[in-house]
Amino acid sequence: MEMVINGLRVNYFEKGTDDQEEAVVMLHGWGSNISLFEAAAEFIALKYRVFAPDMPGFGETPEPPKAWNVDEYTDFIIEFIKKLGLKKVILLGHSFGGRVIIKLVNRKGLPFEVTRLILVDSAGIRPEKTKKQEKKEDLMKIGKKLLSFSPKLLSFLQSMTGSADYKAASPLMREILVNVVNEDLSHLLPSIKQEALLVWGTLDTATPIMDGELMEELIPEAGLARIEGAGHYSFLENAPLFNSIMESYLEI
């Protein structure tokens, strides 16, 4: 399905029944798209209407017109939910999607009610830098000074020192990634008023289990469900257990 938000043609899916007062809106992670949510959405749709958009720059939705930050992705999701006409939503976000949700529920005057959160291997905690990362940053700072006269050489240096996500991204999405990962949202967690279920793979290396434990500590009404042996895509790596957690929490 498609809709247009501020001139962007947005790809999304809708599943399930409208018998429930609440709907579930699912937000994918960085470098991902809604296709990874298909199985989980089918299960949740046994009880709820479920919506999931390809966020700008991912899947079948074009890149945004400029280098967005998390707030602009948050604006986009608010507009998406408004256009759907939803009044009560449960927000489920994986990785980057969780980061957007943390921002969204801290907004005042939302035109809809967010009743509950489900954060799956969520981003939002900025990790302490390792010595290797500090060396990379030092190299980039030196490189920017030496190569400022040559954008091509600077781009080459960035591609050599960047993460896998950075290397896979287009120039614009690289700018957005830098905007996104450099923002620590831990200070927003104590302000979350909604009940939050945190679901985490114990072997996640992208957003480690310690991030989930910290979120459980900082969010007033939060509980952490661990998926033993799973990594960053815990909802895919152990789908039966993930669905079992959803079955219990959402009373499917």
Side-chain angles (χ1 to χ4, degrees), residues 222-237:
L224 176 62
R226 295 170 173 80
I227 298 184
E228 296 292 334
H232 190 54
Y233 290 85
S234 59
F235 68 99
L236 292 175
E237 294 173 47

Side-chain angles (χ1 to χ4, degrees), residues 90-234:
I90 298 168
L91 296 178
L92 186 157
H94 171 247
S95 193
F96 173 61
R99 188 187 287 274
V100 173
I101 289 172
I102 292 168
K103 278 274 190 170
L104 188 152
V105 295
N106 273 275
R107 291 284 185 88
K108 293 180 180 179
L110 290 172
F112 48 83
E113 179 185 354
V114 180
T115 58
R116 287 183 280 178
L117 315 180
I118 303 171
L119 302 178
V120 184
D121 298 291
S122 178
I125 304 293
R126 186 174 181 179
E128 291 186 13
K129 294 172 185 174
T130 65
K131 289 184 178 180
K132 186 176 180 180
Q133 288 171 328
E134 287 177 351
K135 286 181 180 178
K136 279 187 176 182
E137 286 195 2
D138 289 343
L139 180 61
M140 280 304 303
K141 288 176 183 176
I142 295 170
K144 283 181 179 179
K145 290 179 180 178
L146 295 176
L147 304 176
S148 58
F149 63 89
S150 176
K152 287 185 178 180
L153 284 175
L154 179 57
S155 177
F156 174 74
L157 178 60
Q158 289 172 327
S159 68
M160 292 296 290
T161 58
S163 66
D165 281 337
Y166 186 90
K167 292 173 185 176
S170 70
L172 177 61
M173 296 307 290
R174 287 178 180 180
E175 286 186 60
I176 293 173
L177 180 59
V178 171
N179 291 343
V180 165
V181 299
N182 284 332
E183 187 172 4
D184 181 25
L185 305 183
S186 56
H187 65 288
L188 297 178
L189 299 175
S191 302
I192 293 177
K193 296 178 175 62
Q194 293 84 355
E195 178 184 291
L197 171 64
L198 313 174
V199 183
W200 236 271
T202 58
L203 300 184
D204 190 341
T205 56
T207 54
I209 185 67
M210 67 181 69
D211 289 2
E213 292 166 348
L214 181 58
M215 287 190 184
E216 182 183 28
E217 180 183 332
L218 293 177
I219 299 173
E221 297 292 329
L224 176 62
R226 295 170 173 80
I227 298 184
E228 296 292 334
H232 190 54
Y233 290 85
S234 59

Side-chain angles (χ1 to χ4, degrees), residues 50-67:
V50 182
F51 300 88
D54 276 333
M55 289 192 277
F58 304 99
E60 295 179 33
T61 299
E63 294 180 355
K66 63 184 182 68

